[in-house]
């Protein structure tokens, strides 16, 4: 391989790694605004908690340090990746948490079944519903 091309590829790899690592400093709203500039998930990459990648049009945040493998794509590995989901107005869509790393906390607002809900507790893994008024409150 041409030495200039190899050097360019190495530099691009460093930039992608830097962007993925420093995306941890951004809020979900900021990530959404710059989603097209975030790196795409690849096999053979060392990912650390908090890193953000794109995969099949979706943003994911790394939940657990690992070196990516074919079978561990973000959409197939909820123990390794947490999706960053938004409705049309920018509110996060509720998704079932897969563990403590992606449970909802006090004040988190989600959209579910046509309503917006605010979590009333930390570590909330329950589905928003009128049947659990001590866990979720409807946002007007």
């Amino acid at each position: 391989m041409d030495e200039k091309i190899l050097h360019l590829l190495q530099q691009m790899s460093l930039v992608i790694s830097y962007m993925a690592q420093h995306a941890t400093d951004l809020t979900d709203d900021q990530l959404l605004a710059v989603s097209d500039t975030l790196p795409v998930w690849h096999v053979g990459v060392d990912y650390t908690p908090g890193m953000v990648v794109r995969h099949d049009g979706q943003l994911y945040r790394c939940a657990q340090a690992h070196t990516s493998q074919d079978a561990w794509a973000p959409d197939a590995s909820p123990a390794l990746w947490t999706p960053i989901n938004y409705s049309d107005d920018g509110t996060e869509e509720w998704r079932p948490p897969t563990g403590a790393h992606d449970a909802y906390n006090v004040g988190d607002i989600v959209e579910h079944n046509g309503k917006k809900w605010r979590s009333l507790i930390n570590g909330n893994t329950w589905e928003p519903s009128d049947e659990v008024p001590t866990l979720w409150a409807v946002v007007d």
Side-chain angles (χ1 to χ4, degrees):
M1 180 179 291
D2 183 296
E3 192 172 316
K4 287 182 180 180
I5 293 174
L6 180 59
H7 179 72
L8 180 61
L9 289 172
Q10 290 170 335
Q11 293 300 316
M12 288 174 60
S13 176
L14 289 173
V15 168
I16 289 169
S17 177
Y18 178 86
M19 288 180 66
Q21 289 173 353
H22 290 278
T24 61
D25 300 334
L26 301 176
T27 66
D28 287 353
D29 288 336
Q30 291 168 328
L31 288 170
L32 187 62
V34 298
S35 62
D36 290 343
T37 66
L38 295 171
V40 174
W41 177 85
H42 288 285
V43 172
V45 176
D46 292 329
Y47 291 106
T48 58
M51 293 174 80
V52 177
V53 297
R54 290 181 294 140
H55 179 68
D56 288 342
Q58 170 71 49
L59 293 182
Y60 292 88
R61 180 175 281 113
C62 180
Q64 192 176 149
H66 66 283
T67 300
S68 56
Q69 300 178 19
D70 281 328
W72 293 354
D75 58 346
S77 304
L80 300 174
W81 296 98
T82 303
I84 299 173
N85 296 319
Y86 290 90
S87 65
D88 291 339
D89 70 356
T91 303
E92 183 178 353
E93 292 182 26
W94 182 82
R95 53 34 201 157
T98 58
H101 67 278
D102 64 346
Y104 297 98
N105 292 308
V106 172
D108 287 347
I109 296 175
V110 298
E111 186 169 318
H112 184 60
N113 291 334
K115 295 180 182 178
K116 289 187 181 181
W117 303 85
R118 177 178 288 113
S119 176
L120 302 175
I121 64 168
N122 287 324
N124 195 346
T125 60
W126 292 83
E127 181 176 359
S129 165
D130 292 323
E131 296 175 18
V132 286
T134 60
L135 304 175
W136 293 97
V138 174
V139 177
D140 293 325

